[in-house]
Short mmCIF file of all heavy atoms in Angstrom, two decimals:
data_model
loop_
_atom_site.label_atom_id
_atom_site.label_comp_id
_atom_site.label_asym_id
_atom_site.label_seq_id
_atom_site.Cartn_x
_atom_site.Cartn_y
_atom_site.Cartn_z
N LYS Y 106 103.06 -52.49 81.32
CA LYS Y 106 103.88 -53.26 80.43
C LYS Y 106 103.07 -54.44 79.79
O LYS Y 106 102.22 -54.99 80.50
CB LYS Y 106 105.11 -53.76 81.08
CG LYS Y 106 106.06 -52.67 81.55
CD LYS Y 106 107.26 -53.35 82.26
CE LYS Y 106 108.25 -52.32 82.76
NZ LYS Y 106 109.38 -53.00 83.51
N PRO Y 107 103.32 -54.81 78.62
CA PRO Y 107 104.21 -54.17 77.67
C PRO Y 107 103.68 -52.88 77.17
O PRO Y 107 102.51 -52.83 76.69
CB PRO Y 107 104.31 -55.31 76.55
CG PRO Y 107 103.12 -56.04 76.64
CD PRO Y 107 102.65 -56.05 77.99
N VAL Y 108 104.43 -51.80 77.22
CA VAL Y 108 103.98 -50.53 76.85
C VAL Y 108 103.88 -50.49 75.27
O VAL Y 108 104.74 -50.88 74.55
CB VAL Y 108 105.00 -49.50 77.19
CG1 VAL Y 108 104.59 -48.08 76.68
CG2 VAL Y 108 105.11 -49.44 78.72
N ARG Y 109 102.67 -50.07 74.81
CA ARG Y 109 102.42 -49.85 73.39
C ARG Y 109 102.93 -48.52 72.83
O ARG Y 109 102.91 -47.54 73.60
CB ARG Y 109 100.93 -50.02 73.09
CG ARG Y 109 100.40 -51.40 73.54
CD ARG Y 109 98.91 -51.50 73.23
NE ARG Y 109 98.37 -52.74 73.69
CZ ARG Y 109 97.11 -53.07 73.54
NH1 ARG Y 109 96.24 -52.23 72.98
NH2 ARG Y 109 96.62 -54.21 74.04
N ARG Y 110 103.38 -48.51 71.66
CA ARG Y 110 103.87 -47.34 71.07
C ARG Y 110 102.92 -46.18 71.08
O ARG Y 110 103.32 -45.03 71.39
CB ARG Y 110 104.37 -47.57 69.61
CG ARG Y 110 105.07 -46.35 68.94
CD ARG Y 110 105.50 -46.76 67.54
NE ARG Y 110 106.16 -45.66 66.89
CZ ARG Y 110 105.62 -44.64 66.29
NH1 ARG Y 110 104.24 -44.60 66.14
NH2 ARG Y 110 106.30 -43.67 65.73
N GLN Y 111 101.68 -46.47 70.70
CA GLN Y 111 100.65 -45.38 70.68
C GLN Y 111 100.34 -44.85 72.11
O GLN Y 111 100.16 -43.65 72.28
CB GLN Y 111 99.41 -45.91 69.99
CG GLN Y 111 98.23 -44.84 69.91
CD GLN Y 111 98.68 -43.70 69.03
OE1 GLN Y 111 99.39 -43.83 68.13
NE2 GLN Y 111 98.15 -42.45 69.39
N ALA Y 112 100.30 -45.78 73.03
CA ALA Y 112 100.09 -45.36 74.44
C ALA Y 112 101.25 -44.45 74.97
O ALA Y 112 101.02 -43.49 75.64
CB ALA Y 112 99.90 -46.57 75.28
N LEU Y 113 102.43 -44.86 74.61
CA LEU Y 113 103.59 -44.03 74.99
C LEU Y 113 103.56 -42.66 74.36
O LEU Y 113 103.83 -41.61 75.06
CB LEU Y 113 104.90 -44.73 74.54
CG LEU Y 113 106.15 -43.96 74.92
CD1 LEU Y 113 106.36 -43.72 76.36
CD2 LEU Y 113 107.39 -44.79 74.37
N ALA Y 114 103.17 -42.56 73.08
CA ALA Y 114 103.11 -41.29 72.33
C ALA Y 114 102.09 -40.41 72.99
O ALA Y 114 102.29 -39.19 73.23
CB ALA Y 114 102.74 -41.48 70.90
N GLU Y 115 100.88 -40.98 73.41
CA GLU Y 115 99.83 -40.18 74.01
C GLU Y 115 100.22 -39.71 75.43
O GLU Y 115 99.98 -38.57 75.83
CB GLU Y 115 98.57 -41.01 74.09
CG GLU Y 115 97.96 -41.26 72.69
CD GLU Y 115 96.72 -42.18 72.77
OE1 GLU Y 115 96.34 -42.57 73.86
OE2 GLU Y 115 96.14 -42.43 71.68
N ALA Y 116 100.97 -40.58 76.11
CA ALA Y 116 101.33 -40.26 77.48
C ALA Y 116 102.44 -39.17 77.48
O ALA Y 116 102.39 -38.14 78.22
CB ALA Y 116 101.98 -41.44 78.17
N LEU Y 117 103.35 -39.20 76.51
CA LEU Y 117 104.33 -38.12 76.36
C LEU Y 117 103.68 -36.83 76.05
O LEU Y 117 104.02 -35.76 76.57
CB LEU Y 117 105.37 -38.46 75.36
CG LEU Y 117 106.38 -39.62 75.73
CD1 LEU Y 117 107.07 -40.15 74.39
CD2 LEU Y 117 107.34 -39.22 76.75
N SER Y 118 102.75 -36.80 75.12
CA SER Y 118 101.95 -35.66 74.81
C SER Y 118 101.28 -35.12 75.89
O SER Y 118 101.17 -33.87 76.26
CB SER Y 118 101.13 -35.91 73.56
OG SER Y 118 100.31 -34.73 73.24
N ARG Y 119 100.53 -35.95 76.64
CA ARG Y 119 99.75 -35.57 77.73
C ARG Y 119 100.65 -34.95 78.89
O ARG Y 119 100.24 -33.94 79.54
CB ARG Y 119 99.01 -36.69 78.38
CG ARG Y 119 97.97 -36.34 79.41
CD ARG Y 119 96.91 -37.49 79.65
NE ARG Y 119 97.51 -38.65 80.16
CZ ARG Y 119 97.59 -39.78 79.44
NH1 ARG Y 119 97.13 -39.89 78.24
NH2 ARG Y 119 98.08 -40.93 80.04
N ALA Y 120 101.88 -35.53 79.11
CA ALA Y 120 102.76 -34.98 80.10
C ALA Y 120 103.13 -33.52 79.82
O ALA Y 120 103.29 -32.72 80.74
CB ALA Y 120 104.00 -35.82 80.22
N GLU Y 121 103.28 -33.21 78.56
CA GLU Y 121 103.67 -31.85 78.23
C GLU Y 121 102.51 -30.90 78.30
O GLU Y 121 102.72 -29.72 78.48
CB GLU Y 121 104.21 -31.84 76.77
CG GLU Y 121 105.50 -32.63 76.57
CD GLU Y 121 106.16 -32.33 75.23
OE1 GLU Y 121 106.61 -31.23 74.98
OE2 GLU Y 121 106.21 -33.31 74.38
N ARG Y 122 101.29 -31.35 78.29
CA ARG Y 122 100.17 -30.50 78.37
C ARG Y 122 99.69 -30.09 79.77
O ARG Y 122 98.91 -29.18 80.02
CB ARG Y 122 98.97 -31.09 77.68
CG ARG Y 122 99.07 -31.15 76.13
CD ARG Y 122 97.74 -31.30 75.51
NE ARG Y 122 97.03 -32.55 76.03
CZ ARG Y 122 97.06 -33.75 75.48
NH1 ARG Y 122 97.84 -33.93 74.37
NH2 ARG Y 122 96.52 -34.79 75.92
N LEU Y 123 100.31 -30.89 80.75
CA LEU Y 123 99.86 -30.54 82.13
C LEU Y 123 100.33 -29.23 82.58
O LEU Y 123 101.47 -28.92 82.41
CB LEU Y 123 100.43 -31.70 83.12
CG LEU Y 123 99.78 -33.00 83.08
CD1 LEU Y 123 100.62 -34.03 83.83
CD2 LEU Y 123 98.38 -33.03 83.47
N ASN Y 124 99.45 -28.46 83.10
CA ASN Y 124 99.83 -27.10 83.64
C ASN Y 124 100.06 -27.24 85.19
O ASN Y 124 99.90 -28.26 85.77
CB ASN Y 124 98.80 -26.08 83.37
CG ASN Y 124 97.46 -26.46 83.89
OD1 ASN Y 124 97.31 -27.01 84.94
ND2 ASN Y 124 96.42 -26.07 83.26
N ARG Y 125 100.55 -26.17 85.70
CA ARG Y 125 100.90 -26.19 87.16
C ARG Y 125 99.72 -26.54 88.11
O ARG Y 125 99.91 -27.31 89.04
CB ARG Y 125 101.55 -24.85 87.56
CG ARG Y 125 102.09 -24.78 88.93
CD ARG Y 125 102.78 -23.48 89.21
NE ARG Y 125 103.78 -23.16 88.24
CZ ARG Y 125 105.03 -23.56 88.35
NH1 ARG Y 125 105.42 -24.29 89.36
NH2 ARG Y 125 105.96 -23.27 87.42
N ALA Y 126 98.56 -26.05 87.71
CA ALA Y 126 97.34 -26.26 88.55
C ALA Y 126 97.01 -27.83 88.48
O ALA Y 126 96.65 -28.39 89.54
CB ALA Y 126 96.18 -25.51 88.04
N GLN Y 127 97.14 -28.42 87.34
CA GLN Y 127 96.87 -29.89 87.22
C GLN Y 127 97.86 -30.62 88.02
O GLN Y 127 97.48 -31.63 88.61
CB GLN Y 127 96.86 -30.26 85.84
CG GLN Y 127 95.58 -29.74 85.02
CD GLN Y 127 95.79 -30.09 83.55
OE1 GLN Y 127 96.64 -29.61 82.85
NE2 GLN Y 127 94.89 -30.91 83.02
N LEU Y 128 99.11 -30.26 87.92
CA LEU Y 128 100.16 -30.95 88.62
C LEU Y 128 99.94 -31.01 90.16
O LEU Y 128 100.12 -31.97 90.98
CB LEU Y 128 101.51 -30.48 88.37
CG LEU Y 128 102.03 -30.71 86.88
CD1 LEU Y 128 103.38 -29.98 86.69
CD2 LEU Y 128 102.14 -32.16 86.64
N GLN Y 129 99.45 -29.80 90.64
CA GLN Y 129 99.12 -29.70 92.06
C GLN Y 129 97.93 -30.56 92.41
O GLN Y 129 97.93 -31.19 93.46
CB GLN Y 129 98.72 -28.26 92.39
CG GLN Y 129 98.48 -28.02 93.86
CD GLN Y 129 99.58 -28.31 94.71
OE1 GLN Y 129 100.73 -28.01 94.47
NE2 GLN Y 129 99.37 -29.02 95.86
N ALA Y 130 96.94 -30.69 91.48
CA ALA Y 130 95.85 -31.65 91.80
C ALA Y 130 96.32 -33.04 91.80
O ALA Y 130 95.81 -33.87 92.59
CB ALA Y 130 94.79 -31.47 90.66
N LEU Y 131 97.26 -33.41 90.93
CA LEU Y 131 97.75 -34.77 90.91
C LEU Y 131 98.45 -35.12 92.29
O LEU Y 131 98.51 -36.30 92.67
CB LEU Y 131 98.75 -34.93 89.73
CG LEU Y 131 98.16 -34.86 88.38
CD1 LEU Y 131 99.29 -35.03 87.32
CD2 LEU Y 131 97.15 -35.94 88.10
N ARG Y 132 98.94 -34.07 92.86
CA ARG Y 132 99.73 -34.32 94.16
C ARG Y 132 98.78 -34.51 95.33
O ARG Y 132 99.22 -34.95 96.44
CB ARG Y 132 100.60 -33.11 94.43
CG ARG Y 132 101.67 -33.32 95.47
CD ARG Y 132 102.57 -32.08 95.56
NE ARG Y 132 103.34 -31.76 94.39
CZ ARG Y 132 104.05 -30.78 94.17
NH1 ARG Y 132 104.00 -29.79 95.06
NH2 ARG Y 132 104.72 -30.57 93.08
N SER Y 133 97.54 -34.19 95.15
CA SER Y 133 96.61 -34.34 96.27
C SER Y 133 96.41 -35.77 96.73
O SER Y 133 96.56 -36.68 95.97
CB SER Y 133 95.22 -33.76 95.89
OG SER Y 133 95.29 -32.46 95.37
N ARG Y 134 96.13 -35.95 98.04
CA ARG Y 134 95.81 -37.27 98.56
C ARG Y 134 94.47 -37.68 98.03
O ARG Y 134 93.55 -36.91 97.95
CB ARG Y 134 95.81 -37.17 100.10
CG ARG Y 134 97.15 -36.91 100.71
CD ARG Y 134 97.21 -37.42 102.17
NE ARG Y 134 96.22 -36.86 102.95
CZ ARG Y 134 96.27 -35.73 103.65
NH1 ARG Y 134 97.37 -35.05 103.57
NH2 ARG Y 134 95.26 -35.33 104.32
#
Side-chain angles (χ1 to χ4, degrees):
K106 295 179 180 179
V108 175
R109 300 180 182 180
R110 184 178 182 276
Q111 182 61 31
L113 178 61
E115 292 177 0
L117 289 169
S118 177
R119 189 162 65 248
E121 293 191 69
R122 291 197 303 266
L123 287 174
N124 58 34
R125 189 177 300 275
Q127 288 173 294
L128 291 176
Q129 182 61 42
L131 292 176
R132 194 179 293 171
S133 301
R134 295 201 303 269

